[in-house]
Amino acid sequence: LMPFRTLPIRKRLLRVILVINGVVLTVACTAFFLYEYYNSRSNTLNKVSAIGQIIATNSTAALAFDNKDDATEILTALKAEPHVEMAVLFDERGTQFSLYGRDTTMLPLIPHPLPEGHRIKGSILELALPVMLNGHRLGTLYLRSNMGAMHQRFQLYATIVVVVMVLSFLLSLALVRWLTRSISDSILSLSKTAAVISQKHDYSVRAGKMGNDEMGGLTDAFNHMLDTIQTQNRTLRQFNRTLEQKVQQRTAELEYANKELESFTYSVSHDLRAPLRAIIGYTAILEEDYSDKLDDEGKRITSVIKNNTLKMGQLIDDLLAFSRMTRQEVNRETVDMCAVVQEVKDSLAGDYDYSRVDWQIVALPQAAANPGLIQQVWMNLIANALKYSSKKEKALIQIGGYQQEGKLVYFVKDNGVGFNQQYGHKLFKIFQRLHSMEEFEGTGVGLALVHKIVARHGGEVWAEAQENKGAAFYFSLPA
């Protein structure tokens, strides 16, 4: 059987009303039946008691004068009461004085009178009454009455009650089906309309209105809601078409701008590199061919020209790398971070004195990333840590990683010069430096490139530091 809550609304209404009707009918019929039963039993008892009082009153003379014939004649008068099966008159000693029985062949022996009062056993009512004369007890009258007729009558009552209940149930069923249709049809119409809309997403469908009652008002409100949704959908589709056109237009403009920027970048790179190569070349000629004619100041100046030209070349290379980063595809694969860090560490060994560096590297979790791009991240962060702690007598470089809240977090910490935390937000912007070129070399592009690479991987990068107490750089990747 289906649970009640999962039944259709019409069946639920039908069952609720029928159950209520059945309970009311059952309670009413049961109350009527019990009332009639106890009332009939009480009437029967009163009737038998009245007959017994009459017989007992008329039997006083027979008992007083010991006239059994008169007593028998008096008891024989009970033939007029068909429900009285037996009557026995006892004298004051409790000896059977006179006996009457409707069926003389089945008269039981009543050896002594019953206690005064009555008792009912099944369909048999037994009654014992004292026979009194002027306050003196002459004997006891015993009556036995059969209540089978009453029971038969109540069986007929029960049959009538069952028939009435069945007919009432069938009539209620027909009426409930007819009456609930006006309610359930409206609800079913709304339900079917909602199902069609849910499956086909066709908001032009409307629910049929069955009347002007509350269900009719609900149907009107539902259809009005559909009108609003349909209007909004038309507006939204029109907006989407306009938005798609704008996106296509902006995309075309962006692609054109990117191509122009790429062309400009390579053009600038080529146009700048040519004079830089010339400067480096002529400076080298001065140092080689005219070294004997240059004093110490001249040699210093040529060295400064050469170094600044090399820095300019490095800046151009960094700018090109940063520019390419915006167009480069991020093809991910499983990267062994420990191997990448070791490779970066080995590649930087020629630029720094590792004898003055205390390395503390813990196991790093693997990540899904572009190996070449992630190597650039580690290269910039580790090189920065070595550079900004190079003035310490003993540099401490800590490298590690952990997993937290669905992310892989990696860090590089040093005990170098650090920086003021309130300016930390500038670190990852291009050409932003917190230390002068005289203190530490650099172009101001490395950390901007780190930020760009990590962002392309769907991660974040941040830094924590205190002045002269070192710095810690973190970056996260999706786990």
Side-chain angles (χ1 to χ4, degrees):
L1 293 177
M2 295 177 63
F4 180 76
R5 291 181 178 274
T6 61
L7 290 174
I9 185 68
R10 179 179 293 177
K11 291 186 177 181
R12 276 193 280 174
L13 285 172
L14 184 65
R15 293 192 180 188
V16 167
I17 296 175
L18 289 179
V19 167
I20 294 174
N21 184 56
V23 170
V24 171
L25 279 175
T26 301
V27 172
C29 291
T30 302
F32 168 76
F33 187 85
L34 291 176
Y35 172 78
E36 285 295 323
Y37 177 78
Y38 286 106
N39 189 49
S40 295
R41 194 171 72 166
S42 177
N43 290 337
T44 302
L45 177 62
N46 292 335
K47 182 179 180 180
V48 173
S49 296
I51 293 172
Q53 290 290 346
I54 295 172
I55 297 298
T57 301
N58 293 331
S59 300
T60 54
L63 286 172
F65 295 102
D66 195 21
N67 191 339
K68 293 185 178 183
D69 293 335
D70 287 346
T72 301
E73 185 178 355
I74 292 171
L75 294 181
T76 305
L78 292 173
K79 289 182 178 180
E81 299 295 335
H83 56 276
V84 177
E85 295 182 342
M86 180 187 298
V88 182
L89 187 63
F90 296 92
D91 58 19
E92 60 183 346
R93 295 185 302 274
T95 304
Q96 182 175 305
F97 185 76
S98 180
L99 175 67
Y100 163 77
R102 187 169 296 279
D103 187 357
T104 57
T105 61
M106 300 181 63
L107 289 175
L109 178 63
I110 307 297
H112 53 79
L114 296 172
E116 292 183 21
H118 72 277
R119 66 180 181 180
I120 297 175
K121 298 171 62 176
S123 61
I124 301 300
L125 169 62
E126 294 179 321
L127 180 67
L129 297 172
V131 180
M132 307 292 293
L133 179 63
N134 297 327
H136 176 69
R137 183 168 183 166
L138 300 179
T140 303
L141 175 64
Y142 167 82
L143 294 177
R144 176 177 173 179
S145 177
N146 191 332
M147 300 173 65
M150 186 190 75
H151 288 176
Q152 290 177 356
R153 185 171 69 255
F154 276 96
Q155 287 178 359
L156 178 62
Y157 284 173
T159 303
I160 294 173
V161 166
V162 172
V163 172
V164 169
M165 289 185 67
V166 171
L167 292 177
S168 299
F169 182 82
L170 295 176
L171 180 61
S172 299
L173 179 62
L175 290 174
V176 167
R177 284 183 179 274
W178 178 67
L179 291 174
T180 57
R181 186 175 293 112
S182 60
I183 300 175
S184 61
D185 285 353
S186 299
I187 299 175
L188 290 174
S189 176
L190 288 174
S191 177
K192 290 178 181 178
T193 304
V196 170
I197 294 171
S198 176
Q199 294 172 1
K200 299 182 179 180
H201 302 285
D202 181 7
Y203 294 98
S204 63
V205 180
R206 295 294 180 269
K209 187 176 179 180
M210 302 295 180
N212 294 320
D213 55 359
E214 291 84 353
M215 290 305 303
L218 179 61
T219 303
D220 288 338
F222 183 75
N223 289 334
H224 178 70
M225 179 186 67
L226 293 178
D227 290 337
T228 304
I229 294 175
Q230 189 175 14
T231 303
Q232 290 177 347
N233 281 346
R234 283 198 296 266
T235 304
L236 185 60
R237 283 195 294 269
Q238 181 62 35
F239 176 76
N240 285 338
R241 285 193 293 269
T242 304
L243 182 61
E244 288 176 0
Q245 293 174 357
K246 290 183 178 180
V247 169
Q248 292 175 359
Q249 181 181 354
R250 295 292 186 271
T251 302
E253 292 175 356
L254 183 60
E255 290 177 353
Y256 178 77
N258 283 336
K259 290 180 180 179
E260 289 293 319
L261 180 60
E262 184 177 357
S263 176
F264 172 76
T265 301
Y266 283 103
S267 176
V268 169
S269 172
H270 180 271
D271 293 343
L272 288 178
R273 286 180 185 278
L276 288 179
R277 286 195 295 270
I279 293 172
I280 293 174
Y282 282 112
T283 303
I285 292 173
L286 284 174
E287 288 179 339
E288 293 177 4
D289 297 343
Y290 298 93
S291 60
D292 55 341
K293 297 179 180 180
L294 294 174
D295 55 10
D296 292 339
E297 181 63 17
K299 292 178 180 179
R300 188 189 67 81
I301 291 173
T302 57
S303 178
V304 170
I305 293 172
K306 189 174 182 180
N307 290 335
N308 280 278
T309 304
L310 291 174
K311 290 179 182 178
M312 185 64 181
Q314 183 61 45
L315 179 59
I316 293 172
D317 291 338
D318 290 344
L319 285 174
L320 287 175
F322 187 80
S323 175
R324 283 193 297 268
M325 184 63 242
T326 60
R327 301 184 302 274
Q328 187 171 349
E329 292 291 334
V330 180
N331 298 318
R332 300 172 187 264
E333 59 182 77
T334 302
V335 178
D336 185 351
M337 291 296 199
C338 293
V340 173
V341 168
Q342 185 61 44
E343 186 177 347
V344 170
K345 179 184 171 184
D346 293 341
S347 65
L348 294 173
D351 299 329
Y352 299 94
D353 183 7
Y354 281 0
S355 63
R356 298 176 54 245
V357 179
D358 181 12
W359 296 92
Q360 294 184 4
I361 304 175
V362 300
L364 300 174
Q366 294 182 342
N370 184 288
L373 296 178
I374 287 299
Q375 186 174 23
Q376 292 185 51
V377 172
W378 285 112
M379 179 70 73
N380 281 284
L381 294 180
I382 295 174
N384 270 7
L386 291 169
K387 178 170 63 177
Y388 289 106
S389 61
S390 60
K391 295 184 179 181
K392 292 287 185 177
E393 183 178 348
K394 190 70 172 180
L396 174 62
I397 308 297
Q398 296 175 300
I399 300 174
Y402 54 88
Q403 185 167 346
Q404 183 181 48
E405 297 180 356
K407 295 181 180 180
L408 297 173
V409 180
Y410 303 93
F411 61 83
V412 178
K413 301 179 181 180
D414 64 71
N415 63 340
V417 296
F419 56 85
N420 191 333
Q421 186 66 41
Q422 65 176 333
Y423 302 115
H425 63 282
K426 295 183 177 182
L427 282 173
F428 302 102
K429 297 181 179 180
I430 193 167
F431 300 136
Q432 295 292 326
R433 293 174 52 86
L434 300 183
H435 301 278
S436 65
M437 290 285 291
E438 288 74 16
E439 290 181 282
F440 299 98
E441 294 183 351
T443 60
V445 180
L447 290 179
L449 187 62
V450 168
H451 179 269
K452 180 69 70 174
I453 293 173
V454 173
R456 292 291 302 278
H457 281 79
E460 299 177 356
V461 60
W462 67 97
E464 299 173 357
Q466 291 183 0
E467 290 184 292
N468 298 317
K469 291 186 178 181
F473 287 84
Y474 298 85
F475 70 93
S476 68
L477 297 174

